[in-house]
Amino acid sequence: MRKKYDDFTQLKIKDMSKTISDMTFTYLNPETGEPTVVPPNHYEKILDEITEKYMSDVTSWQMLAIMFNQLSSLRKENPDYFYKALVCMDLNVNVKDLRIADQVAILHTNDFITNKISNEKKDFHFLSKDIVDVFVETKNNPNLLAEAIRDSNEIKHRENKEYERYER
């Protein structure tokens, strides 16, 4: 059984861009109730980007995924050591130089964290509230997101021009 995807992958970039633009158009913005208009040339520029640049972006996100997976498995393996290590890292306490007061403080702080996790469950955040707030506010701020996208597009445009200059 053939799927739309199978046909899509056989298209040329210009036709792919038109198809994506048409698919995007069918999405009705929940706030305005209007179709989403994105011109095909927007997608054409993205699909025509140089692969090496794209691969470096993918590699950076893969590195983040690797770090995330390692930290997640360390936390699952032994949450106490994980949180104690985070406390030491955050407070710049060298584990090799722990004094008795430091050891007691780390144990007490770990107990505090464990109780806080069990009380707050999914609402628990190891990061301070202001850091979590910045993440949530940024994620939900369309003006800030638009500014970041504009900046990113500008950087990509400059990089493409430089790359094209070197290619000649």
Side-chain angles (χ1 to χ4, degrees), residues 68-84:
F68 174 82
N69 291 336
Q70 286 179 336
L71 291 172
S72 291
S73 51
L74 287 171
R75 184 179 69 192
K76 286 175 189 166
E77 196 173 303
N78 194 321
D80 285 341
Y81 285 136
F82 176 78
Y83 287 119
K84 288 174 187 175

Side-chain angles (χ1 to χ4, degrees), residues 2-166:
R2 213 164 152 80
K3 296 184 178 187
K4 284 184 179 183
Y5 175 79
D6 299 321
D7 294 332
F8 179 78
T9 58
Q10 303 301 312
L11 297 173
K12 295 192 182 315
I13 290 177
K14 193 173 223 54
D15 295 327
M16 276 185 181
S17 302
K18 289 177 185 174
T19 303
I20 296 171
S21 179
D22 290 343
M23 288 188 294
T24 306
F25 186 79
T26 63
Y27 177 76
L28 298 178
N29 184 326
E31 293 174 13
T32 64
E34 296 176 359
T36 305
V37 178
V38 179
N41 67 348
H42 169 74
Y43 296 114
E44 191 171 344
K45 287 176 190 171
I46 294 170
L47 293 172
D48 204 28
E49 281 182 359
I50 297 145
T51 309
E52 291 114 25
K53 257 185 18 191
Y54 173 72
M55 291 309 293
S56 71
D57 290 345
V58 168
T59 304
S60 324
W61 290 110
Q62 284 176 337
M63 284 301 295
L64 177 62
I66 289 167
M67 293 295 274
F68 174 82
N69 291 336
Q70 286 179 336
L71 291 172
S72 291
S73 51
L74 287 171
R75 184 179 69 192
K76 286 175 189 166
E77 196 173 303
N78 194 321
D80 285 341
Y81 285 136
F82 176 78
Y83 287 119
K84 288 174 187 175
L86 282 179
V87 168
C88 289
M89 285 175 55
D90 194 50
L91 299 175
N92 292 319
V93 174
N94 187 340
V95 179
K96 294 176 184 174
D97 298 332
L98 291 178
R99 305 294 307 241
I100 293 175
D102 296 322
Q103 294 173 18
V104 170
I106 288 171
L107 291 172
H108 182 76
T109 304
N110 186 64
D111 290 343
F112 173 80
I113 291 168
T114 304
N115 289 332
K116 193 169 169 77
I117 290 170
S118 66
N119 290 335
E120 296 179 11
K121 303 207 182 330
K122 290 193 179 225
D123 291 330
F124 171 78
H125 296 288
F126 194 78
L127 298 173
S128 64
K129 182 177 175 357
D130 56 338
I131 293 173
V132 173
D133 289 347
V134 166
F135 176 84
V136 171
E137 288 169 14
T138 302
K139 183 179 168 187
N140 296 322
N141 184 332
N143 295 328
L144 193 58
L145 294 173
E147 182 182 330
I149 291 168
R150 274 192 297 277
D151 292 347
S152 175
N153 289 344
E154 186 179 309
I155 291 168
K156 283 181 185 178
H157 180 70
R158 271 186 278 159
E159 288 174 350
N160 283 342
K161 280 188 171 186
E162 284 181 34
Y163 187 80
E164 288 169 6
R165 238 187 8 236
Y166 289 118

